[in-house]
C-alpha cells in the first residue's frame, strides 16, 4: 500500500483501539491537552466509559477529553527525530514538540518526508557554521536521509533529479 493509505489505516486502527478500550492508558501515558490556543504537556490520570482525564504536568489542572481524541505524546530521543514521518503519533502538538526538542539542541532543520522544515535560530553563532563550504561538500552526491536534515540535501536531491533526467 502507498504510505498515505498506510497512515490512514494506522490512524483508523488507533481510533478503533481507543474507542474500544484496547489501548491501555495509565499514569505513565503522556499526552497533550489544548488550553487557550496552546498545547500543554499532560499525563493520563484515568480512563472510563469513553472519557479520559488528563492532568497538565506543570499546573496540575485536570481536563476531561473524549478517549478517542487523546493526543498521545511521542517518547523523543535527546536530539528529537530527524524525519517526523517516523514519529508514532502525527498531530500538531507532537510535531511541535519534536521541532522544539530539535531546536533546543541547535538542530534547525527537520524533515517531514521530502519537506525540510527550518526553524530560524536567530543566532548567528548557530547559523553561520551551517552554511560553510565544508558542510556543503558533505551533501554532494548524497541522498536525502543519508546525512542530517539540511537545505543542502534538498538542493542536492533536486539537482540529482534534474541532472538524471537531462
Amino acid at each position: 500500500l502507498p504510505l498515505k493509505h498506510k497512515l490512514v489505516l494506522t490512524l483508523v486502527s488507533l481510533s478503533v483501539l481507543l474507542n474500544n478500550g484496547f489501548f491501555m492508558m495509565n499514569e505513565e501515558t503522556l499526552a497533550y491537552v489544548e488550553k487557550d490556543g496552546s498545547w500543554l504537556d499532560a499525563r493520563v490520570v484515568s480512563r472510563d466509559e469513553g472519557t479520559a482525564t488528563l492532568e497538565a504536568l506543570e499546573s496540575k489542572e485536570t481536563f476531561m477529553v473524549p478517549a478517542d481524541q487523546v493526543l498521545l505524546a511521542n517518547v523523543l530521543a535527546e536530539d528529537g527525530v530527524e524525519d517526523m514521518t517516523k514519529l508514532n503519533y502525527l498531530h500538531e502538538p507532537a510535531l511541535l514538540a519534536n521541532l522544539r526538542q530539535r531546536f533546543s539542541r541547535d538542530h534547525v532543520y527537520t524533515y517531514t518526508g521530502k519537506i525540510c522544515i527550518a526553524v530560524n535560530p536567530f543566532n548567528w553563532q548557530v547559523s553561520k557554521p551551517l552554511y560553510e563550504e565544508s558542510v556543503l561538500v558533505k551533501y554532494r552526491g548524497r541522498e536525502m536521509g543519508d546525512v542530517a536534515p539540511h537545505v543542502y540535501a534538498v538542493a542536492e536531491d533536486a539537482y540529482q533529479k534534474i541532472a538524471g533526467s537531462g
Side-chain angles (χ1 to χ4, degrees):
L1 288 173
L3 179 61
K4 74 176 184 177
H5 294 262
K6 289 179 186 176
L7 181 58
V8 169
L9 288 174
T10 301
L11 292 175
V12 169
S13 300
L14 180 59
S15 178
V16 168
L17 290 173
L18 287 170
N19 285 327
N20 293 319
F22 295 118
F23 184 78
M24 301 304 293
M25 288 188 258
N26 58 41
E27 291 184 8
E28 301 296 314
T29 304
L30 297 178
Y32 302 99
V33 65
E34 189 272 333
K35 180 181 179 187
D36 301 328
S38 296
W39 295 106
L40 306 176
D41 293 328
R43 69 181 179 91
V44 177
V45 176
S46 66
R47 182 191 186 286
D48 60 4
E49 307 271 336
T51 303
T53 303
L54 305 178
E55 178 185 73
L57 296 181
E58 283 190 24
S59 69
K60 305 296 184 199
E61 185 177 356
T62 59
F63 300 84
M64 302 292 285
V65 179
D68 65 343
Q69 294 180 20
V70 171
L71 299 175
L72 298 174
N74 294 292
V75 176
L76 296 174
E78 190 174 320
D79 284 342
V81 177
E82 287 186 348
D83 185 345
M84 293 198 290
T85 62
K86 295 179 180 168
L87 292 172
N88 290 326
Y89 308 112
L90 292 169
H91 45 68
E92 181 182 351
L95 300 178
L96 292 172
N98 186 60
L99 290 171
R100 189 177 305 112
Q101 179 75 10
R102 290 186 53 74
F103 181 78
S104 74
R105 306 284 297 167
D106 292 334
H107 300 299
V108 298
Y109 292 111
T110 305
Y111 292 134
T112 301
K114 292 275 188 179
I115 299 167
C116 185
I117 298 172
V119 180
N120 188 340
F122 300 106
N123 180 343
W124 190 239
Q125 300 295 64
V126 172
S127 297
K128 186 177 179 187
L130 290 173
Y131 305 106
E132 293 176 352
E133 189 168 347
S134 61
V135 175
L136 174 63
V137 170
K138 291 180 191 175
Y139 289 86
R140 286 194 182 135
R142 305 291 297 274
E143 299 270 331
M144 280 182 76
D146 286 350
V147 286
H150 198 289
V151 69
Y152 290 160
V154 175
E156 181 64 21
D157 185 61
Y159 175 77
Q160 293 299 329
K161 285 187 173 45
I162 291 169
S165 67

